[in-house]
Amino acid sequence: MIDLDRRKAIKLAASMLAGAMIFASPVYAQEAKKVTVALDWTPNTNHIGLYVAREKGFYKEAGLDVEILPYSDTAAGTLVSNHQADFGVAGVGFYTQHAAGADLKAVYAVVQHETGRVVFNADRADIKSPRDLDGKTYGGFGSAWENALIGSIIKADGGKGDIKTVTLGTSAYEALANGSVDFTLEVVTWEGVQAELLGQKLTTFKYSDYGVPEQHTTLLVSSDAYLKQSPDAAKAFLAATQKGYAYAVDHPDEAADLLIAANPDALTNKDLVHASVKSLVEGHYLRGENGAVGTIDPAKNAAIGDYLFANGILKDGNGAALTEKPDFAGYISNDYLPKN
């Protein structure tokens, strides 16, 4: 009788162990939710929080399998609005796409302050303020935003806003150096840092000193379709991303090394990456003076939206300038960020 009870106990224990092994196996484990992110450019320090979150396992801890898509000629906003990517990195072009009917919503401010600058060689004695740019040649990137931006800056300083434009793309800085253009635009936390490292003497005009509202230059956008379909995944992704950017602020050297290690072919200048991260941290771009990381300021959103509308930059799907100002509050949402 005792042996029979023992045999029953052993058999029951074996059965329970087998069941536990089945439920613990990968087949029955909850599968990580796949999330895709499209970049706006080749990997750089604006993207550092994404890579930190991935390399430090923040996404994995949140139950996510995040794929950072390689940069392509198709704008990140286009990929997101066509639902070929769940999130994307975007700039001011997000507003023009949204106005034209694209399914886009900004959900995270990568930078808390404007990083753009008008830049020219410091030895240009004929350029002392923006109005001196009238009649000169701008080396640009081919967007309607640029001409309107520069024109409004010049006019705010008392000029006419008449410039010549040459589309040069990534060679704009080289064109500036060799004198084939008089001025261009830069991202102060990347090209500006690079110029300092190279000893190039440049002078800049900050947009907001000449009538352009302070803005979040770089944003993470998603689509209303994705946010409604996968709100929990969106919140998990943004919480982990916010954690990644906050970690970069607190551990800039480690974060820079993680970014470089993840993109060894694209980021060969380690000094530039480290100096750029330092600039982003010390300038309170990634974490604002008020402690904000990722939060979109509704006032900044409204101000830059009003500016774009007033300057005729926002057009509908047929290419006609909007005649009625949109409700820019609907362009953004902080609802998917962690509640502090």
Side-chain angles (χ1 to χ4, degrees):
M1 188 70 176
I2 295 175
D3 289 341
L4 181 59
D5 288 341
R6 284 177 177 172
R7 284 198 297 272
K8 287 181 178 179
I10 292 171
K11 188 174 182 181
L12 178 60
S15 177
M16 292 174 65
L17 178 61
M21 290 176 66
I22 289 174
F23 284 105
S25 69
V27 175
Y28 288 85
Q30 185 174 359
E31 187 175 351
K33 175 72 173 179
K34 183 68 176 289
V35 175
T36 53
V37 188
L39 300 184
D40 60 333
W41 203 249
T42 54
N44 58 69
T45 49
N46 277 346
H47 311 137
I48 194 165
L50 299 169
Y51 284 98
V52 168
R54 190 185 72 178
E55 301 306 313
K56 295 293 291 185
F58 299 157
Y59 290 136
K60 186 176 181 181
E61 291 170 3
L64 304 176
D65 175 17
V66 174
E67 180 183 4
I68 301 174
L69 302 175
Y71 170 69
S72 71
D73 291 336
T74 304
T78 300
L79 294 174
V80 172
S81 64
N82 288 328
H83 311 135
Q84 296 175 356
D86 302 319
F87 294 89
V89 183
V92 72
F94 148 74
Y95 289 88
T96 60
Q97 287 185 298
H98 193 294
D103 180 14
L104 290 174
K105 180 157 288 184
V107 290
Y108 187 99
V110 174
V111 293
Q112 293 296 315
H113 299 296
E114 169 66 65
T115 58
R117 301 287 187 272
V118 177
V119 60
F120 55 94
N121 291 322
D123 61 2
R124 292 294 298 266
D126 57 330
I127 305 176
K128 294 182 174 60
S129 69
R131 64 175 173 270
D132 297 324
L133 298 176
D134 264 334
K136 292 183 170 54
T137 301
Y138 164 67
F141 308 92
S143 72
W145 148 256
E146 296 165 65
N147 285 338
L149 168 75
I150 295 166
S152 72
I153 288 174
I154 294 173
K155 290 175 184 177
D157 190 46
K160 296 180 181 179
D162 295 331
I163 60 171
K164 302 170 187 175
T165 300
V166 177
T167 301
L168 297 171
T170 56
S171 62
Y173 241 58
E174 295 176 13
L176 183 66
N178 64 34
S180 58
V181 300
D182 297 303
F183 66 103
T184 187
L185 302 182
E186 73 166 12
V187 175
V188 70
T189 54
W190 187 258
E191 288 96 349
V193 170
Q194 185 177 36
E196 287 185 14
L197 292 176
L198 294 174
Q200 293 177 317
K201 303 300 182 182
L202 301 174
T203 300
T204 64
F205 298 139
K206 186 178 180 181
Y207 302 167
S208 58
D209 288 340
Y210 298 95
V212 182
E214 252 280 304
Q215 62 174 299
H216 300 291
T217 319
T218 307
L219 300 157
L220 286 180
V221 299
S222 188
S223 64
D224 276 320
Y226 179 80
L227 295 171
K228 290 176 182 177
Q229 179 183 346
S230 305
D232 292 339
K235 290 178 180 179
F237 169 76
L238 290 175
T241 298
Q242 185 185 60
K243 187 176 179 181
Y245 277 102
Y247 191 93
V249 173
D250 293 332
H251 308 87
D253 287 334
E254 180 188 351
D257 287 336
L258 288 172
L259 179 64
I260 293 167
N263 303 280
D265 295 331
L267 299 173
T268 57
N269 188 336
K270 296 182 180 180
D271 290 340
L272 172 58
V273 175
H274 278 270
S276 176
V277 175
K278 182 179 179 182
S279 175
L280 284 164
V281 172
E282 292 183 352
H284 296 284
Y285 291 100
L286 300 183
R287 177 189 285 154
E289 291 88 343
N290 62 354
V293 178
T295 305
I296 302 173
D297 183 341
K300 287 182 179 178
N301 169 64
I304 194 63
D306 288 348
Y307 169 85
L308 294 170
F309 174 73
N311 283 275
I313 298 173
L314 301 183
K315 295 178 170 57
D316 62 21
N318 296 317
L322 298 187
T323 56
E324 184 176 344
K325 187 172 72 172
D327 177 9
F328 293 110
Y331 279 45
I332 66 168
S333 176
N334 287 312
D335 293 342
Y336 297 89
L337 290 172
K339 301 293 186 282
N340 296 325

